Amino acid sequence: MSAALNGHGQTTDRRSQMIPQISSPSPPPEVERRRNRLPTLNEVLQRQTMAPVDLFSFYIYMRDQQRSVDYLDFWLDVTQHMSLCRHYVRELRRSVLIETPELEKGSKRSSMILDQFTDPNDPAGPSTYKDDTKTSNQQLSAYLRQERQENGGNNQHSPHSSLGSEQSGARGSGDRGPNGERLPRASFMSNGLHNSTTDSNSPAHTVARADLRVSAENILYTYLLPGSEREIILPQGMLNDVIASIEEDGRDDPEVFDAAKDYTFQAMERDAFPGFLRSKALGNLVPPSTFARRILGILGLFAGFWAGFALIFLDKPKHIRCWLILPFTIGVYCLASDQYSIDPILALLGFSEYTFMNWSRIREPFVRRLLNKRASMVLACTVLIGVALIILFIFVPGKAL
C-alpha cells in the first residue's frame, strides 16, 4: 500500500496491479453436484443446481404459482448490475495495461482503494452471505463513488455502443409471449455478462461509466418507484434511501441496492422457496395437471362403482366384470397422483413437469433418488387399493333383481 502512494515512480507491472483482477465465478465443485441434501436458495440462484431445482424451474414456479416473479427479476437485475460494475473495473484495468500513463492522472487515494480490492468467487447470494464478499462489495462501491467524485459526477462516454447498454436493452424483463405470459429470462441458459467478455479491445466490448448509471436507473424506474411497471413492495424507509441515493446523490454503485437485495432474498427464502422444494423435490406435477387428474380420477371411480354395482345386480359372469380393472385403475391412479402431486410412472422414468404438459429430465441426483422413493410408495398404495376394489367387485356374488 505504501508503494501505491509513490505514484509516478512505479513500473508498468506494479501500476497494472493497482486495479483488481476480476474473474468469472468458478463452476461448482463436483462434490456439490453430488450433494446428499436439498439445495439452498443461494445455490439455485448461483446456477449450482440442475433440473428440476434449477434457476429456470424456480423462475417458472415464481411466475406461474407464486405470482411474484418481479421479486426474482429484481434480484437478478441487481446481481447483473453488480456484474456490470465488476466488468467496468476489469475494463479499467485493461485500459491501464494498454495506456499506462493514464494511471498517473488518477488520484493516489483511488489507487489505494483499488489495491485493497479483492474479488470474491461468490458474487451471488445476499450481500451479507459472506464477510469477505460484503467487504469486497463495499470496497468496489467505495472506489466507484470516489471515481465519480473525481470526475465531477460527469459521465463523458456515450453508453449507446457499449456492452452495458446492449444488455440493458436486450434484458427484456417485461417481454411477453403470444399467450400473454412473461417469457423467462434469456440469461438462464447462459452465464450472462461473463460470457460476453472477451480479450478483445474493440469498443464493442467496453463498459462506460454511464452504463452503470443507466443500469441503476433502469432498476429504479422498473421496480422501485411508486406506480412503476413492475413495482415491488419494500419497507418505505429502505425505498426512500435507494431513491435518494440514485436521484439526489447520483450514486450507481452496487451498495445502493444491498439492503433491498437482502430483503428480497430473505422474502423469497422464507415465502417462496419452501413451496418450490415441496413442489419439485417431492412431486413432479404442476397444479393444472393435478387438477386434471383429480377430475379424471373422480370420473374413473364413479364409472367403476356404477359399472360394478350394475354388473353385480345384473348377475354378470366374472370374465365380464374383469373390465372393471380399467376404470378402477385409472381412478385410483389419478387420485393418488393428485393427492401426492406426483405421477409415479413418469417420476420413475425420470421426468418432471415444469409447465402444463411440458416435461424435462430430472438431473439433480438427490432429487431423483427422493422422487424414486416417493413414486414407489405412491405406486404401491395405488396397486394395493386398486387390487382391493377389483377383487371386491369381481368376486362378490351376483344377484339379479
Side-chain angles (χ1 to χ4, degrees), residues 40 85 91 120 183 186 204 206 233 269 318 330 360 369 390:
T40 63
C85 294
E91 290 295 329
L183 296 175
T206 61
I233 306 301
E269 189 176 42
K318 292 181 176 59
I330 294 176
S360 63
R369 294 193 301 269
I390 291 170

Side-chain angles (χ1 to χ4, degrees), residues 1 32 59 63 82 88 97 110 149 237 240 255 267 271 282-283 300 364 369 378 383 391 393:
M1 184 182 302
E32 282 296 315
Y59 188 93
R63 185 193 69 184
M82 181 181 297
Y88 171 76
L97 293 176
S110 297
Q149 294 173 0
N240 292 339
E255 202 174 56
D271 299 332
L282 300 180
E364 185 72 22
R369 294 193 301 269
V378 173
V383 171
I391 291 176
F393 280 89

Side-chain angles (χ1 to χ4, degrees), residues 80-214:
Q80 185 170 320
H81 175 71
M82 181 181 297
S83 299
L84 193 67
C85 294
R86 296 182 184 281
H87 187 68
Y88 171 76
V89 176
R90 183 189 295 114
E91 290 295 329
L92 183 61
R93 174 181 173 81
R94 182 179 301 169
S95 67
V96 169
L97 293 176
I98 296 175
E99 302 176 3
T100 304
E102 291 295 324
L103 181 64
E104 297 178 358
K105 299 179 182 179
S107 68
K108 299 177 180 180
R109 184 178 178 184
S110 297
S111 300
M112 293 173 61
I113 295 174
L114 286 171
D115 203 30
Q116 292 176 348
F117 180 81
T118 55
D119 178 55
N121 293 324
D122 187 14
S127 60
T128 57
Y129 190 74
K130 288 184 178 181
D131 292 339
D132 55 348
T133 302
K134 182 178 179 181
T135 302
S136 178
N137 293 340
Q138 291 174 343
Q139 292 173 343
L140 174 62
S141 298
Y143 168 71
L144 293 175
R145 290 195 300 269
Q146 175 66 20
E147 189 201 34
R148 183 180 62 82
Q149 294 173 0
E150 290 176 353
N151 293 334
N154 295 324
N155 294 319
Q156 301 176 356
H157 301 282
S158 173
H160 298 294
S161 62
S162 59
L163 177 62
S165 60
E166 291 175 359
Q167 290 198 346
S168 297
R171 188 162 46 211
S173 298
D175 293 345
R176 297 181 181 273
N179 58 354
E181 291 184 348
R182 184 172 291 120
L183 296 175
R185 301 166 62 95
S187 61
F188 291 152
M189 309 311 295
S190 65
N191 289 331
L193 181 66
H194 297 293
N195 281 351
S196 303
T197 61
T198 66
D199 292 332
S200 173
N201 294 319
S202 63
H205 294 277
T206 61
V207 176
R209 181 58 193 264
D211 294 328
L212 307 187
R213 179 68 182 177
V214 171

Side-chain angles (χ1 to χ4, degrees), residues 88-383:
Y88 171 76
V89 176
R90 183 189 295 114
E91 290 295 329
L92 183 61
R93 174 181 173 81
R94 182 179 301 169
S95 67
V96 169
L97 293 176
I98 296 175
E99 302 176 3
T100 304
E102 291 295 324
L103 181 64
E104 297 178 358
K105 299 179 182 179
S107 68
K108 299 177 180 180
R109 184 178 178 184
S110 297
S111 300
M112 293 173 61
I113 295 174
L114 286 171
D115 203 30
Q116 292 176 348
F117 180 81
T118 55
D119 178 55
N121 293 324
D122 187 14
S127 60
T128 57
Y129 190 74
K130 288 184 178 181
D131 292 339
D132 55 348
T133 302
K134 182 178 179 181
T135 302
S136 178
N137 293 340
Q138 291 174 343
Q139 292 173 343
L140 174 62
S141 298
Y143 168 71
L144 293 175
R145 290 195 300 269
Q146 175 66 20
E147 189 201 34
R148 183 180 62 82
Q149 294 173 0
E150 290 176 353
N151 293 334
N154 295 324
N155 294 319
Q156 301 176 356
H157 301 282
S158 173
H160 298 294
S161 62
S162 59
L163 177 62
S165 60
E166 291 175 359
Q167 290 198 346
S168 297
R171 188 162 46 211
S173 298
D175 293 345
R176 297 181 181 273
N179 58 354
E181 291 184 348
R182 184 172 291 120
L183 296 175
R185 301 166 62 95
S187 61
F188 291 152
M189 309 311 295
S190 65
N191 289 331
L193 181 66
H194 297 293
N195 281 351
S196 303
T197 61
T198 66
D199 292 332
S200 173
N201 294 319
S202 63
H205 294 277
T206 61
V207 176
R209 181 58 193 264
D211 294 328
L212 307 187
R213 179 68 182 177
V214 171
S215 176
E217 289 180 345
N218 283 340
I219 295 175
L220 176 66
Y221 298 149
T222 302
Y223 301 101
L224 301 180
L225 287 182
S228 56
E229 177 187 0
R230 304 178 61 187
E231 182 181 2
I232 62 175
I233 306 301
L234 296 176
Q236 191 61 43
M238 183 185 301
L239 185 61
N240 292 339
D241 290 342
V242 176
I243 295 175
S245 297
I246 296 177
E247 293 194 332
E248 297 178 11
D249 301 337
R251 291 177 56 184
D252 52 24
D253 53 276
E255 202 174 56
V256 171
F257 301 105
D258 270 357
K261 182 183 179 185
D262 291 345
Y263 180 88
T264 304
F265 182 92
Q266 293 167 8
M268 292 190 297
E269 189 176 42
R270 179 185 63 251
D271 299 332
F273 193 64
F276 170 71
L277 290 181
R278 185 165 53 251
S279 173
K280 297 301 181 182
L282 300 180
N284 67 337
L285 298 177
V286 296
S289 285
T290 59
F291 180 76
R293 281 167 169 76
R294 183 184 312 162
I295 299 300
L296 187 59
I298 292 174
L299 293 177
L301 282 185
F302 175 80
F305 282 115
W306 181 84
F309 283 112
L311 293 176
I312 289 175
F313 291 122
L314 290 176
D315 198 15
K316 296 296 182 178
K318 292 181 176 59
H319 69 277
I320 296 180
R321 296 191 200 178
C322 287
W323 286 102
L324 295 174
I325 294 176
L326 185 60
F328 278 130
T329 300
I330 294 176
V332 174
Y333 184 87
C334 290
L335 286 180
S337 298
D338 168 62
Q339 177 66 29
Y340 294 99
S341 298
I342 184 172
D343 189 305
I345 294 179
L346 291 174
L348 291 173
L349 292 176
F351 289 97
S352 179
E353 190 178 33
Y354 59 92
T355 59
F356 184 63
M357 298 303 294
N358 291 313
W359 303 86
S360 63
R361 299 288 302 185
I362 302 173
R363 303 187 182 279
E364 185 72 22
F366 181 75
V367 173
R368 178 67 183 270
R369 294 193 301 269
L370 197 62
L371 285 176
N372 284 344
K373 294 178 182 178
R374 190 172 173 83
S376 300
M377 182 270 294
V378 173
L379 193 59
C381 293
T382 301
V383 171

Side-chain angles (χ1 to χ4, degrees), residues 5-20:
L5 298 175
N6 295 329
H8 299 280
Q10 307 301 319
T11 63
T12 301
D13 292 339
R14 181 67 187 113
R15 281 194 291 259
S16 64
Q17 292 174 359
M18 292 181 181
I19 301 179

